[in-house]
Amino acid sequence: MILATSCDDWLDTTPKAQVNSDKLFSTETGFEDALYGVYTSLTSKNTYGMNMTYGFMDVLAQYYKMDNSHILYEASLYNYDNSKVKDVIESMWLTSYNTIANCDLLLENLEKKDDSFFKENYKEILTAEALAVRAYVHFDLLRAFAPAWRNNPDVLCLPYADSYSKKIHKQKTTKEFINLVIQDLMKAKELLDKIDMVFSDDFKNVNNIFYYHYQSDIGKEFTSYRSYRLNYYAINALLARVYNYMGDKEKAYKYAKYIINLQKDGFYAFTTESELSAELKERDIVMQNELLFALNYPGVHDDWYKNDVVNSTAFIINGIDDIYKISDDFRKTYLTMKNSKDKTISIKYADIDSEKGGKVPMIRLSEMYFIAAESIFETNKKEAIDYLSILRLNRGVNSEISETISYEDFVKELTIEARREFIGEGQMFYWYKRLSLPIDRASDKIDLSDAQFCLPLPDTEVEFGSRSEKYLENLK
Amino acid sequence: MGNYLEFIRILKRKNSRITKTMKLITLFLLLGMLQVSAEVNAQKGKLDVKVKDVALSELLWQLQENSKIVFIYKTDDLKDIRKVSINLKNTTISRIMSIALVGTNLTYSIENNVVVIKKKTDAQQTQQERHLITGKIIDKSKRPLPGVTVRVKGTIIGTSTNMDGEYKIKVPENSILVFSMVGMKTVEELTKDKKVIDVLLEEDVAKLDDVVVNGYFSRSKDNFTGNAVIIDREDLKKVSSNNLITALQIFDPSFRIKENVDMGSNPNNLPDFRIRGNSGFGSEALSESNLKNNPNLPTFILDGYEVRVEKIFDLDMDRIKSVTILKDASATAIYGSRAANGIVVITTKTPKEGEIRVSYNARFSVEAPDLSDYNLLNAEEKLQVEKDAGLYEDDDLPTKQKSLKDYNNRLRNIRKGVNTYWLSKPLRVPCGQTHSLYLEGGDKSARYGVDASYNLSPGIMKKSSRNRFALGFLLSYNLNDKLLFKNKLTINKVKSKDSPYGDFSDYAKANPYNPIYNDHGDIIKIFRTNVPTSLRFPNPLYEASLNNRSGSEYTEWTDNFNFDWFINNNFRFKASLSYSEKNTTKETFTDPKSARYNNSKYEGDGLLKKGRAYKYDEKSSNLDLNVVFSYKKSFGKHFINTVIGTNIIESNYSNESYSVIGFPSGNLDYISYANEFENKAPDGDEGKSRLAGAFLNVNYSMNNLYLLDLSIRMDGSSKFGSKKRYAPFWSMGVSWNLHNEQFVKEIEFINRLKISANLGELGKASFSPYEAQNVYEFYKNQSYTSGLGACLMALGNEDLKWEKTRTTDINFEIEFLKGLFALKASYYLKKTNDLLSDITLPLSNGFRTYKDNMGSLENKGYELNLRGFVFRNENVILSLFGTLAHNKNTIKKIANSLQSYNDKVDYDQNNNDVERVNGQIVTSKPKIQFKEGQSTTAIYAVKSLGINPINGKEVFVDRNGNITYDWNALDKIVCGDTEPDFSGALGLNADYKGFNLNMSFMYKFGGQVYNQTLVDRVENANLNWNVDHRVYKGRWRNPGDRTFFKDIKDNTRTEVSTRFVEDENVLQFQSLSFSYTFPKNIIKKLSLERLKLTFLMEDVFRFSSVKRERGLSYPFARTFNFGVQIQF
């Protein structure tokens, strides 16, 4: 028996250049590394490092003037059958699910380990963040690939990969799927409830949010750099986004309002003009104090630069003056610039050596204002208008909205504002899809069919997962 | 008395003797059943008797029938007497009777023609049983031989010698004692009245192949139920001078090297080969590193330890004592998880006792390039072809003028006498040499052996070479024949260099009208043209004039320690430990002046990026521990031999590599001159695998007639998933030594007749070490705020297990007329299941594929091995041999990833836009596909009916049988198989007074090949380069032309069609050797022990039914070797 066990141990060889899961998860640091790995994998160019933010998704949202030699040109025409477009969609899908698989294996191992293995609160934090990333990524896949909620939430669309396995994950209906997203988020929220260090006053001071850490307490870097990760606040904000997607106005408002109210306690704040007008080196190009969740990715500047030097990959803003009607708009004045070829680009990711750059916004404060405004409009029009006005005020835009404005017109106002706000952040396509609005392209509008709003599943997914694409047929 | 005796009457029989004998033999062969019959021939008082296992009464009855003798006996007395077998000619009745009654309690007396048989008196009986014989058995060096079998001929009485070589045996009077031992010549002695019989047994050199060595233990061939091919060093050396792997093909028709049309005779090219067909889906382009996990390679065991193929490839053939190829379950099962592809066991020489003895072998070789497969145009013809093809015509007048200028320049060159034969330019006729020295000696207890060898193998492409150095020290100590310690240390160093002349194909396509040097005698870098073209015509010799180089080097040391303890006659304990370490370095350097930097990328800042050096270092080590405990004993006619053992192996490798760019000049090539790293981070890889196994082998033999062989092995491997860590492997074999049966013994012309059959389950785990695990890799260039992220590389599979091969084997061996003619035939069925495959996943699992055991392959076939002496007398021996193998490979099941791979091939072939590089078509080639029911080596192409004489277009048959001009990948059919139906070798060996002549041929037929030369160099030939002679012959020009090639004006891409599939039948004269061993009386005067001169020619010629270019990247060569062997 002893011999057998020791033989077993002896046969357990582990790679050196890499590390196998058993060895990685034999230390607490290994768990941290796996979580860092999850966040790092989000920065892939296939997903939030490019295509699910400023790249492919914003091409679909018609932010850019597409040269017909541009590698994403066919995407701007919604030619999802084009082989290049297919490849991008497939890699978005695969990389997203790869991140999810990483979360799943991490969660599986967390569950296996006893609480005593970890420092206080570590297990809760690790579990909550892994759950929240899993929910975040799933939710974005749903927004991209599934039909909008209003179409039919009871049709089978995407698989929810909640276990690390070679077994095929079942395709879920939108409703089932969203419930799983919410379930994961609720679980994460409960885990962090009361123990999350972001409640601490140390996190209040906006200037401390990122730089804050226990300098005397080496070994706590993991917990102290949590301000941009999926912490308790970010999870609440994500819940607001999810309920907003489902049209559950009450809950959406509740969560959005919770975040908005945090400002009173000194958490999060709108970026000031002085922060935006600073020298490029110090300019707050991503408006970092407003970020509830962001990826730390210094490499984004290199990627952007590589795209920007050639026409076939550059992301040139289409109709800057159509987007920003008011020339004083801070976002136009301070957050766009002319590139080396004298074309207007966003500087959120541009290679301008800003100390505050290197981040990819995933959820920002202003989105909470949009959600709150949209959700409360029918019950409290004034409050709704106020939210929009506050936001505009902070962007250097005057806002005079009549109290008699209709819901439809109000949504149009919100859309105009959102389009200004989310440039390069991959949110707008989902916005148009959710609200079934025509897409703004410079001064034009493009009407998309419900089917065009759905990215097709990759061929290999359909073939090897034997997925039903009935929902697409129903939309046609 | 009258009451006692009975008179037996004689009855006449009708059957003739001849038919009886015929029946007898037929029955022996076919049924192997016991047959009671006899043949008695009486002439002039002498008799011929031939009976096999008959009752004594039957014998007497027959004797009586055929002679005038009358037998008188009491029936009861004969009742319990054993059956007798007698085969005597022209003998007296008294001799017959004494043999017939040996060991019985009967005696006889003869008076006139009456034989009276009666029971012995008590006195007579005891006297006979008391006859005790003792003795001592020794070998040539007077050492006692333990374990020698001593038997009374024709009986079951027997014993064996003890540790001191002594025996005691009680024998009946006038018996014959037979002394036998594995590896020794058998001796027979008449007992007569002797009390002591001492015997000297001589080593039976010629009978070495009666022992099967499997790396853990050895077994006599008679006691072996498996299939083994045994080759000794002398035979090997007649076939090849320094390439063991090539030589093995001659001896075993199932051992086949995969032909590499590209690499030719490159001394640095490791061959790819297999035994009995493909057992896995190997990748087509095998590189050196792929060989590490090649699913088809057999396992090599050198002196008891597993080694890599490269080590065998670099092994000095003079060190080899014998090679054994083990093929079936019975032979290989004790290797368990490594056995499925067969095992090749190699043993090296061990020192002999005596005063210091020195052997020296020297060999000099000359290699000559074999360009007979090339059929290229000369300068004049080439220019004519270009002109005819309209290369110098253009609608645009200025362009036309420029091209005419090109034409005139070329014509002027030709007039000046330029007709460059590029093919010969990178080639040479290199002389190689090998020296090996062996010193041995010692006394009974301590012996030593030192070997040193030095081999220079320059290749036929200039500056390519592989040089090997080896040194070995062996010390052994024998303590009273009880304990044996042996330690062997070997050091190997191999240096290989690739030719800076680059790829041979560059020379095959270079235009013959271009000169190498300009008028000033400087080497031309690029042949410029007046017509603006993106095509570049670099002078391939220019690169060779620079300081480009590429090569690798490794040093390996190995220490083997063996401990042998002969506990007593029955028990033996053996432990051995081997450790080896190997360091490999690879380096390449590209001169900054290289033509590859003639590119706008390398201007300005790019100047600092010219020149590149690459360095790769690998360290690997191997630890192998064996402990074997064996027990053997005979109980009467039962003999049992049991071996139990365990085995632990650990192997490690790790490598690092980096490349740097930006060198100031080709001479300043040291790595520190570089300007920067090519990539940000260095590369590296690492692997560790462990294996622990235990095995049991039970070998039981009854009377040396019936054999049962059982093996079981349990292996645990770190490569398997954690849930499937241990695997059992087993085999079961039976065999019947018919030649030991009395009834066969009596057929004089049969010396050996054996039937055996076995089955078993073997494994292989030819995958890289960590496939089963969930492996995380750290992000190299990116940290995440406060830490480095680790990301999953692959979806591990903890259920991953070994690949299983179920084999069944039936072997038949027969030898006639004292070895004058021998035949060995085997049939096998090998089914490999649970093949490791990529399983395609829906991407929502986060990965594209994972590894699993899916898919199965079957190989079945037969092998024949014939050997015979055509002529044999005192001076001349002439023998012939022939082998033949047939193997059928069938894919039984494939994984979904291979299915989608097949679909992708079809899709790609249909949607592959005609790609033109510089206006010329990139030709299409058949792709490997894996379909169930087909072979792994099948050729897929669309059926072609040839060229329509009316319009010169190719006519295809689609999948519905309709005729069409449109090529569609979905219409592809299996139209051939690169595996031949039959392959094998033929040979001749002749000895005459110290002269030896040996010729060996290899053949294969029934296979097909896709003649790519006809596509690349004829039909889709790129006329900007030199082409095959056939380019203008046989193309369609006018309606009515019946041609093989399509319309000459049609320059569309030729798709893969059956038109180019040709039957390949090959006969290859593999080796011709001639040697002379000087007679003893002459060499004694020179105070030598042995002097031998040899001449060996390899790859003498080759006939093939397919005319195609071979040796594309590196040409083939013929080798001539001259050798001398001296021993003193």
Side-chain angles (χ1 to χ4, degrees), chain A residues 10-11 16 19 36 164 461, chain B residues 686 690 718 774 776 786 844:
Chain A
W10 186 76
L11 290 174
K16 218 185 276 170
V19 54
Y36 289 139
Y164 177 74
E461 181 70 32
Chain B
E686 172 271 347
R690 284 172 169 161
S718 62
N774 294 316
Y776 275 89
S786 48
S844 52

Side-chain angles (χ1 to χ4, degrees), chain A residues 201-245:
Chain A
D201 281 353
D202 293 325
F203 278 84
K204 263 186 195 167
N205 187 328
V206 285
N207 292 321
N208 274 349
I209 281 183
F210 185 60
Y211 298 100
Y212 165 82
H213 62 272
Y214 301 98
Q215 278 184 328
S216 55
D217 230 351
I218 289 166
K220 287 213 169 169
E221 295 90 343
F222 173 73
T223 44
S224 43
Y225 282 96
R226 295 192 60 250
S227 43
Y228 288 131
R229 301 214 301 257
L230 279 164
N231 56 34
Y232 184 82
Y233 299 145
I235 289 165
N236 277 279
L238 185 53
L239 277 164
R241 181 187 278 180
V242 172
Y243 284 117
N244 180 235
Y245 169 85

